[in-house]
Amino acid sequence: MQSLEQYPVILEQPVAWGDMDAFGHVNNVMYYRYIESARLAYLNRLNILIGPLLTVVATNQCRYLKPVVYPDQLKIGARIEEIGTSSFRMSYLLWSEQQQVVVATAEAVLVCINKNTMQKMAIPEDIQAIIKQLENTVSHAI
């Protein structure tokens, strides 16, 4: 199994009491919110949100391995696994401080859109270079 050391961006996410559902564990919807926060932390590292490029989620999925309950602190690793012409695939690892194990893994495919035309656009070369440089900080070549 992968470890957080293989992820260049790690977000610390406290679990709130209100994140739990009637069954006494974190609701599955919350995992997607946690993952979204980790994705935005990654995109902020790319300075991607200030230019003409938008990203939209084309697909996403989450595999729940262990239930999470309050109180807990999650560490969410985010990385890019694959870069296409106008899309990229990200993966996420959710680690529970309380349990000291991976509690979920997730994946998303994001498509790049020009915010002016709202049409799909190629990932700019400078953004690709920043992604590769960031991934190389954890010896992850793409």
Side-chain angles (χ1 to χ4, degrees):
M1 176 145 306
Q2 295 178 341
S3 68
L4 282 172
E5 291 78 29
Q6 298 170 306
Y7 289 77
V9 174
I10 299 171
L11 176 73
E12 294 200 14
Q13 175 68 52
V15 173
W17 175 260
D19 294 350
M20 294 194 307
D21 60 19
F23 299 109
H25 56 77
V26 171
N27 185 279
N28 61 316
V29 173
M30 294 308 302
Y31 288 80
Y32 285 98
R33 288 189 178 167
Y34 300 157
I35 292 162
E36 177 185 52
S37 294
R39 176 172 48 252
L40 285 171
Y42 191 105
L43 294 176
N44 280 328
R45 293 280 298 272
L46 303 178
N47 291 323
I48 205 171
L49 303 174
I50 59 172
L53 182 93
L54 292 176
T55 59
V56 294
V57 176
T59 64
N60 60 24
Q61 64 180 353
C62 185
R63 184 172 183 198
Y64 310 99
L65 304 172
K66 301 240 182 219
V68 174
V69 298
Y70 174 88
D72 202 348
Q73 178 88 6
L74 300 178
K75 289 186 178 177
I76 305 164
R79 74 184 203 177
I80 292 179
E81 297 289 345
E82 180 180 13
I83 301 174
T85 304
S86 60
S87 65
F88 53 91
R89 184 170 54 90
M90 294 189 79
S91 70
Y92 311 92
L93 188 75
L94 290 84
W95 171 268
S96 163
E97 285 294 316
Q98 184 181 39
Q99 300 176 56
Q100 292 291 298
V101 295
V102 174
V103 293
T105 58
E107 188 172 278
V109 173
L110 285 85
V111 176
C112 296
I113 304 284
N114 181 300
K115 73 169 78 171
N116 299 317
T117 65
M118 296 308 285
Q119 298 295 312
K120 187 166 58 169
M121 68 179 280
I123 302 169
E125 288 182 20
D126 61 325
I127 298 294
Q128 290 185 44
I130 295 168
I131 291 169
K132 290 175 183 175
Q133 182 181 22
L134 182 56
E135 294 296 330
N136 279 334
T137 64
V138 291
S139 301
H140 179 234
I142 47 177

